[in-house]
Amino acid sequence: ASVDDMRVIRAASGDIQVDGAMDMLTGCMGELETHRAEIVARTEQHVEDRMLREQQDREYQEALELDRKRAEEQRLQEEQEREAKRLEEEKKLAEQQIIAQQEAARLALQEDRRRRSLEMPAPAGEATSRISLRLPAGQRIERKFPSGATLAEVYAWAEVAAYLPEHEGKGLEIPARFVLKTSFPSRDLVEKDQTIETLQLAGTNVLLAEIEDD
């Protein structure tokens, strides 16, 4: 047994008188109550100390868990930001590549049309069929063709018109893709193997309409 379980309060020996024994017992009872109160107080203190330690342990574990969650959230946020940045950079790079490709294609088309404009002969004496062409910007140009010329030749002229000497300095802009149309009634001219005479285009006003990319 521990010192709290067993304690010698008083001892008596020899011839003990009744009054003395009663006094001793009364004193023992008081000391016993004091001793019991001390034990109860120490026990309660131990319980309080244990509960405090347990509470502190719980709070510590909760703080650790909160820190872990915050660290995980921060990691996920940083990962998402890195991924978003990577995707944005890839998008910009793809856009730059598309722009570069479009510019390269535009320059190549200009060079091809400039080269073909040098190969286009001037209208011959038998060229009597006048065709007037209205461009998307509202400018008008015209050229005479032989009545037996095909629609394909009209398209070829329209493609290189901006680079012909007679149009130098006019700032003509011919779309990369276009279709020729009659003005009234409006219809697309796509029969490139047909002649101007067959299509009855001599003396008409033809519209050059840009074909928009899908």
Side-chain angles (χ1 to χ4, degrees):
S2 68
V3 66
D4 292 332
D5 297 327
M6 182 179 295
R7 181 178 179 182
V8 177
I9 299 176
R10 293 187 182 184
S13 61
D15 187 13
I16 301 174
Q17 298 297 321
V18 174
D19 291 341
M22 292 299 295
D23 291 341
M24 185 177 66
L25 288 174
T26 300
C28 287
M29 292 297 294
E31 291 185 19
L32 183 61
E33 181 61 26
T34 299
H35 180 60
R36 188 191 69 80
E38 292 174 354
I39 293 175
V40 171
R42 284 197 299 272
T43 302
E44 291 177 347
Q45 185 63 47
H46 290 159
V47 171
E48 290 179 2
D49 292 344
R50 186 181 70 254
M51 293 179 64
L52 178 60
R53 287 194 300 272
E54 291 175 351
Q55 180 180 356
Q56 291 174 339
D57 289 342
R58 286 195 301 271
E59 291 176 351
Y60 177 70
Q61 293 299 326
E62 290 172 356
L64 288 178
E65 180 63 16
L66 183 59
D67 289 343
R68 187 193 66 78
K69 288 183 178 179
R70 287 175 178 171
E72 179 65 14
E73 291 173 356
Q74 180 69 20
R75 185 189 66 79
L76 290 175
Q77 182 178 353
E78 291 175 353
E79 184 176 328
Q80 290 172 353
E81 290 175 353
R82 286 194 300 271
E83 180 65 11
K85 183 178 180 180
R86 184 185 66 80
L87 292 175
E88 182 64 21
E89 290 175 350
E90 287 184 355
K91 180 181 178 182
K92 288 182 179 179
L93 180 59
E95 291 174 349
Q96 291 172 354
Q97 290 175 341
I98 291 174
I99 292 174
Q101 291 171 355
Q102 291 175 340
E103 180 64 11
R106 185 184 69 82
L107 293 176
L109 179 62
Q110 285 183 349
E111 183 59 30
D112 176 67
R113 288 181 173 179
R114 183 177 289 107
R115 178 186 55 78
R116 288 191 289 124
S117 71
L118 298 175
E119 299 172 355
M120 178 164 288
E126 69 273 15
T128 57
S129 300
R130 181 190 58 82
I131 293 181
S132 178
L133 191 64
R134 184 160 67 87
L135 305 181
Q139 300 151 312
R140 290 182 180 275
I141 57 176
E142 65 177 41
R143 186 179 179 88
K144 291 182 179 180
F145 294 87
S147 59
T150 64
L151 181 61
E153 294 177 64
V154 179
Y155 267 91
W157 163 67
E159 287 176 351
V160 303
Y163 303 98
L164 294 175
E166 60 265 30
H167 299 144
E168 184 177 355
K170 293 182 179 180
L172 302 184
E173 293 185 4
I174 309 299
R177 300 173 62 226
F178 63 86
V179 63
L180 300 182
K181 306 164 67 85
T182 57
S183 56
F184 186 81
S186 178
R187 67 182 181 88
D188 292 352
L189 297 171
V190 294
E191 307 89 342
K192 293 185 178 182
D193 59 336
Q194 297 293 311
T195 65
I196 293 174
E197 184 177 14
T198 302
L199 296 172
Q200 299 180 347
L201 295 180
T204 62
N205 293 321
V206 176
L207 305 179
L208 187 150
E210 182 176 5
I211 299 176
E212 299 289 344
D213 292 331
D214 295 335

